[in-house]
Amino acid sequence: MTTQELEAELSALSLSAWDEDVALELGHILVSLARERDLPVVIDIRDANRCFFHAALPGSAAQNDNWARRKSNLALYTGKASLVVKQVFAAKGRTLADEGLSEADHAMSGGAVPVKLGAAMVAVATVSGLPDVEDHRLVVEALGQLARQGG
């Protein structure tokens, strides 16, 4: 997908409410989707101050936790999905270092998607363990399901 297509897809995923219960529901949707498909992923939902939900499913590894943290940090810093940032940076020939960001704390990899309440980003939902486009798609699928349920 192009960057514009990704951004258009993400703009349609705004939720109508956000609190700990909605975060838990989003986490449960992600776990359910991952378990149905036997996906070895880590799921992390957080804002800049706290973790709302975290799960490490069978087959995932400690490195997936670190990737999830780093991808979440990039999305929280930029306010954009990490896959969008990756594509924009690649198109401009930019690196994390060019932006003053460390690779130890940020990852240029898809899978971290802003959770939006209207236009405001209230959290980031992240999946790590699959190729980054698949990580991204799983989060988008779960957010879409939650939005359709009235979340």
Side-chain angles (χ1 to χ4, degrees):
M1 290 183 112
T2 68
T3 302
Q4 293 78 14
E5 290 169 332
L6 284 171
E7 288 178 333
E9 173 186 64
L10 295 170
S11 70
L13 296 177
S14 181
L15 301 179
S16 59
W18 182 255
D19 60 18
E20 291 84 354
D21 287 329
V22 177
L24 186 60
E25 181 62 24
L26 177 57
H28 286 167
I29 291 169
L30 280 161
V31 167
S32 178
L33 291 170
R35 283 187 160 295
E36 287 170 7
R37 299 167 191 172
D38 198 28
L39 301 176
V41 296
V42 162
I43 298 162
D44 188 80
I45 303 170
R46 67 177 52 252
D47 66 14
N49 299 310
R50 67 192 267 212
C51 179
F52 293 104
F53 183 92
H54 188 90
L57 298 185
S60 64
Q63 69 185 14
N64 299 124
D65 287 293
N66 192 36
W67 274 96
R69 177 187 65 83
R70 292 169 56 224
K71 291 192 271 187
S72 295
N73 285 345
L74 183 65
L76 286 166
Y77 178 78
T78 62
K80 296 184 178 288
S82 58
L83 186 60
V84 170
V85 177
K86 177 184 175 183
Q87 288 184 347
V88 168
F89 276 37
K92 294 180 178 181
R94 305 282 296 165
T95 66
L96 289 170
D98 293 333
E99 299 298 316
L101 302 173
S102 77
E103 288 190 25
D105 290 320
H106 303 84
M108 194 79 70
S109 182
V113 178
V115 177
K116 297 213 172 179
L117 181 61
M121 183 173 80
V122 293
V124 173
T126 305
V127 168
S128 177
L130 308 171
D132 70 343
V133 172
E134 292 176 38
D135 285 341
H136 173 87
R137 288 182 190 194
L138 187 63
V139 177
V140 168
E141 181 180 352
L143 281 168
Q145 186 174 327
L146 181 62
R148 286 188 299 277
Q149 291 174 356

